[in-house]
Amino acid sequence: MAAQTVKNALRQLRVLRGWTQQELGAKVGTSRQAIIAIENGRFDPSLTLAIRLSRVFEKPIEEIFFLDH
Amino acid sequence: MAAQTVKNALRQLRVLRGWTQQELGAKVGTSRQAIIAIENGRFDPSLTLAIRLSRVFEKPIEEIFFLDH
DNA sequence: GTCCGATGTAAGGCGTGCTTGACATCATGT
DNA sequence: ACATGATGTCAAGCACGCCTTACATCGGAC
């Protein structure tokens, strides 16, 4: 089953900027489905993708992704 | 090909603190071999592991892992 | 010269991250 | 009624992250 261990603020940040999932995917060079899966907690992004996301949102990784405990 | 796309300052930070690879692995809950592979650029850590590493080094992820371009 | 800690590599295996393509739903607009 | 855009799901497939076990090397201490 999978399941993510990291929570994230992707959807909130994306909607705030008025971007669609497809637009965000294009910005960071990944697929629309990958964005959906990450936003909905089906799995965690790779470190590479997390860094790209933090760049397009102009926020440090620690303010986008949260690991419990 | 594989190969990492993210460069990191793990070895430098680890040696500065006088930790062995095994000790660092234990601190972040991973194996000695995984630490070696990451330090030597055989692959990138997962986001979860990157966050754990940033915590034991008490440094933001951006100061440990570097993505080109 | 031998032991041991630290580092490194290799192989087999498993779950996950991500891809492409196809299809479903719902809201909005015409 | 129909089209379109945004979101979501599913499935097959591939590469990677990480594990365990095992073995090799090198340096320092005795």
Side-chain angles (χ1 to χ4, degrees):
Chain A
M1 317 243 254
Q4 76 179 162
T5 53
V6 176
K7 296 180 181 175
N8 69 74
L10 273 195
R11 174 153 319 188
Q12 187 184 132
L13 292 169
R14 177 178 62 80
V15 171
L16 253 171
R17 283 161 179 72
W19 298 339
T20 67
Q21 292 170 332
Q22 190 153 24
E23 284 170 344
L24 178 56
K27 282 177 193 293
V28 297
T30 197
S31 68
R32 184 175 67 87
Q33 287 84 340
I35 299 294
I36 293 173
I38 295 166
E39 280 192 358
N40 292 353
R42 306 219 285 115
F43 54 69
D44 299 326
S46 66
L47 178 57
T48 299
L49 183 50
I51 293 177
R52 291 208 182 103
L53 286 165
S54 88
R55 288 185 182 165
V56 306
F57 286 125
E58 297 179 315
K59 275 186 164 289
I61 291 181
E62 287 81 359
E63 291 180 24
I64 304 179
F65 300 100
F66 314 100
L67 179 62
D68 288 342
H69 79 283
Chain B
M1 25 158 255
Q4 76 177 164
T5 53
V6 177
K7 294 180 181 173
N8 68 75
L10 272 194
R11 175 154 320 191
Q12 188 185 131
L13 292 169
R14 177 178 61 79
V15 171
L16 254 172
R17 283 162 179 73
W19 297 339
T20 68
Q21 293 169 331
Q22 190 153 26
E23 284 170 343
L24 178 55
K27 282 177 192 294
V28 298
T30 196
S31 69
R32 185 174 68 86
Q33 285 83 344
I35 299 294
I36 294 173
I38 295 167
E39 280 191 358
N40 291 353
R42 306 221 285 114
F43 54 68
D44 299 327
S46 65
L47 178 57
T48 300
L49 184 49
I51 293 176
R52 292 209 182 103
L53 286 164
S54 88
R55 288 186 182 165
V56 305
F57 286 125
E58 296 179 317
K59 276 185 162 290
I61 291 181
E62 286 81 359
E63 290 180 25
I64 304 178
F65 301 99
F66 314 101
L67 179 61
D68 289 341
H69 79 281

